[in-house]
Amino acid sequence: MSSIDGASVRKLVVACDAGMGSSVMLASQLRRELRTCPVTIEHHPVAAIPADADIVLCQAALAERARVGAPGAVVVGFRMFLGDPEVARVVAAVKQGGVVVGTTGG
């Protein structure tokens, strides 16, 4: 399982598949929450994750696809777009330091 120190994160990608807009809202929320941190937040389809992503946040069901598409990134799967503890854990690690460990997925 991969990991990264939150202070080292420079690019966080919210990856999606359904195109329903929820992941775009999550990316926007993360930009607000992490606005004081030197982190770029981007939104991409799970099939087009940039190679320079440090962390990929995606629904747990997409985690394995994200790992294949972004083998150098720490992939964190979540279940809820709002209020998910995995997302909160990533935000806290980036803001306060701490290790982000990838999840095992779906």
Side-chain angles (χ1 to χ4, degrees):
M1 196 171 310
S2 59
S3 65
I4 187 171
D5 185 279
S8 299
V9 175
R10 294 297 168 255
K11 183 179 278 188
L12 188 154
V13 171
V14 179
C16 71
D17 193 35
M20 300 286 292
S22 300
S23 54
V24 173
M25 289 188 304
L26 176 59
S28 179
Q29 172 191 327
L30 291 172
R31 283 186 198 100
R32 283 190 305 275
E33 288 186 51
L34 299 173
R35 69 185 171 277
T36 61
C37 300
V39 178
T40 300
I41 313 294
E42 295 181 356
H43 175 266
H44 292 279
V46 74
I49 298 168
D52 62 344
D54 295 311
I55 296 177
V56 176
L57 283 168
C58 62
Q59 288 185 301
L62 299 175
E64 191 54 41
R65 286 178 56 199
R67 276 187 208 86
V68 170
V74 174
V75 176
V76 177
F78 59 85
R79 300 207 184 285
M80 302 175 291
F81 281 99
L82 298 174
D84 192 283
E86 293 297 333
V87 175
R89 183 175 60 86
V90 170
V91 169
V94 171
K95 285 174 119 174
Q96 303 161 6
V99 176
V100 176
V101 177
T103 57
T104 57

